């Protein structure tokens, strides 16, 4: 909480100093609405990230399943050869 306050205070000092020197003020961009609610874009990005993570998780599980099945077949082949 104190860090956020300090960061905001530092930003305000920089903006006020820039304006006092006649320099252009760097824009401040937020993905949150006025009340701190996530924006629609932020929600969509979070959904896309979650979908991609789930897809990758499923791919890893499928890969592990295939490896296990492959190892089981090789072990069975060895047993039959003896």
């Amino acid at each position: 909480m104190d860090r956020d306050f300090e960061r905001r205070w530092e930003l305000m000092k920089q903006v006020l100093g820039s304006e006092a020197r006649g320099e252009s003020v760097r824009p401040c961009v937020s993905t949150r609405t006025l009340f701190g609610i996530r924006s629609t874009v932020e929600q969509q990005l979070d959904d896309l990230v979650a979908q991609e993570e789930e897809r990758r998780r499923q791919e890893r599980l499928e890969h592990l399943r295939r490896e296990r099945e492959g190892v089981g077949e090789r072990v069975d082949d060895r047993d039959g050869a003896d």
Side-chain angles (χ1 to χ4, degrees):
M1 187 79 169
D2 291 330
R3 269 190 184 168
D4 288 338
F5 175 78
E6 290 173 10
R7 190 180 66 208
R8 280 186 263 152
W9 179 246
E10 186 60 36
L11 179 62
M12 288 188 327
K13 289 193 310 188
Q14 290 174 1
V15 169
L16 289 173
S18 294
E19 287 178 348
R21 291 187 298 273
E23 298 172 356
S24 62
V25 179
R26 71 180 176 113
C28 184
V29 179
S30 175
T31 58
R32 301 272 175 166
T33 63
L34 177 63
F35 301 105
I37 301 168
R38 293 179 9 197
S39 68
T40 304
V41 172
E42 189 177 19
Q43 290 174 351
Q44 290 172 345
L45 286 174
D46 288 347
D47 291 344
L48 284 173
V49 168
Q51 289 173 3
E52 181 63 19
E53 288 174 349
E54 178 62 22
R55 184 186 66 77
R56 288 184 180 181
R57 188 181 70 79
Q58 290 294 331
E59 286 177 355
R60 282 193 305 264
L61 288 173
E62 182 66 22
H63 180 73
L64 289 172
R65 185 185 61 78
R66 286 182 186 155
E67 281 183 348
R68 285 186 200 142
E69 288 176 356
V71 170
E73 290 173 8
R74 282 181 282 200
V75 170
D76 291 341
D77 291 341
R78 286 187 204 150
D79 290 341
D82 287 338

